[in-house]
Amino acid sequence: SQTIHQWPATLVQPVGSPLSLECTVEGTSNPNLYWYRQAAGRGLQLLFYSVGIGQISSEVPQNLSASRPQDRQFILSSKKLLLSDSGFYLCAWTRGGVGNSPLHFGNGTRLTVT
Amino acid sequence: GNSVTQMEGPVTLSEEAFLTINCTYTATGYPSLFWYVQYPGEGLQLLLKATKADDKGSNKGFEATYRKETTSFHLEKGSVQVSDSAVYFCALSDPNTGNQFYFGTGTSLTVIP
C-alpha cells in the first residue's frame, strides 16, 4: 500500500530564517506531487505541483520554492521566511496519468514564523 | 473555468440529526468529484468519491451522488455522531486540466451530544 510521510509535524522559525519541509511517498512510482498551504480557518491554497523529477509548476509567486530531486521526494523551501508564511502546509500525491485518481494527503506541518 | 462552491459554515447539529452539506461545481469537462474530511490538526482524508454522472460514493455512513444535471455533489448522513465533528471539503479534478484539483472553502461541522 502507499504511504506519504511529511516532516516535521510542527516548526517554529524566526523571521528571516530558512525553511525546508520534506515529503516522501512510498509504494508507488512516478506520482504527481503537490504542496498546499492552509491558513488558519481557511481553505486550501495550491503552492506547487510536480508531474516528474525536476518538473515544478508554481501557482503562487512568493518567497517559497519547491524541488523534486527524486521521483518520490518533494521539498518545500524558503531562503528567508516572512510572518505571512505561517500556516499549515500539506503535501499530497496522486497517481500520475490516472485522471480520476484522488489526492492523498500527508499529516501536515504546522509552521509558525515569529 | 473550474470551481467548487460549498455551503458556508459553521454547521452545528445535535447527535443523530440528519446532515446535508451542499456542494455545486463548474467544470469544463467531465470531472471526478470528491469529499474530504479534516479532523483538527490533521491532514485531509478522502471520504468518498464519484467519477461519473449518477455514481454514488459512500463511506462511514456518508453518501454523495454525482448529479450532472444540477452540477451538484451534496454530502449526506442520516445520523451524525460527535466523532463526525470536522471540516469537510468538496473537490473536483478535471482531466482536461491535467492534474489540477479544485477545492471548496470547507464547511465546519460540530456535533453536540
Side-chain angles (χ1 to χ4, degrees):
Chain A
S1 64
Q2 301 85 19
T3 56
I4 179 169
H5 303 280
Q6 186 181 344
W7 68 93
T10 60
L11 192 59
V12 180
Q13 292 283 97
V15 168
S17 64
L19 172 74
S20 181
L21 303 180
E22 190 162 343
C23 171
T24 59
V25 180
E26 295 178 357
T28 189
S29 59
N30 197 30
N32 297 325
L33 298 171
Y34 304 76
W35 279 110
Y36 286 87
R37 178 168 63 198
Q38 188 177 30
R42 305 287 294 276
L44 295 169
Q45 179 187 31
L46 177 63
L47 301 176
F48 301 95
Y49 70 95
S50 171
V51 299
I53 296 175
Q55 300 178 58
I56 309 293
S57 296
S58 173
E59 293 297 306
V60 182
Q62 53 198 336
N63 68 320
L64 299 172
S65 62
S67 62
R68 184 170 177 173
Q70 299 181 44
D71 181 44
R72 292 169 291 172
Q73 183 184 29
F74 206 24
I75 298 172
L76 182 69
S77 304
S78 174
K79 293 182 180 178
K80 289 186 177 182
L81 284 169
L82 306 173
L83 285 174
S84 57
D85 292 324
S86 293
F88 192 48
Y89 288 81
L90 291 159
C91 182
W93 74 274
T94 188
R95 292 188 190 281
V98 179
N100 60 6
S101 177
L103 272 176
H104 302 277
F105 287 85
N107 287 330
T109 296
R110 175 76 58 194
L111 171 66
T112 303
V113 183
T114 60
Chain B
N2 297 311
S3 66
V4 174
T5 302
Q6 58 182 109
M7 64 186 287
E8 295 285 334
V11 175
T12 302
L13 295 174
S14 297
E15 205 165 23
E16 299 183 3
F18 184 86
L19 168 70
T20 299
I21 300 178
N22 290 337
C23 172
T24 57
Y25 68 89
T26 301
T28 55
Y30 299 92
S32 294
L33 301 173
F34 309 90
W35 276 102
Y36 285 85
V37 58
Q38 184 179 32
Y39 299 103
E42 298 184 9
L44 279 70
Q45 301 175 25
L46 178 65
L47 182 59
L48 53 84
K49 71 173 185 178
T51 58
K52 61 182 187 298
D54 299 325
D55 267 0
K56 177 187 283 188
S58 61
N59 186 25
K60 300 180 181 179
F62 290 90
E63 294 183 339
T65 300
Y66 189 141
R67 302 285 188 199
K68 193 170 188 297
E69 64 275 14
T70 54
T71 62
S72 65
F73 193 54
H74 304 320
L75 182 68
E76 297 181 336
K77 186 175 185 182
S79 176
V80 293
Q81 305 300 312
V82 172
S83 57
D84 294 326
S85 298
V87 180
Y88 293 82
F89 291 90
C90 185
L92 73 82
S93 69
D94 185 346
N96 290 333
T97 58
N99 301 286
Q100 297 279 19
F101 285 76
Y102 302 84
F103 284 84
T105 53
T107 302
S108 175
L109 170 67
T110 301
V111 181
I112 55 177

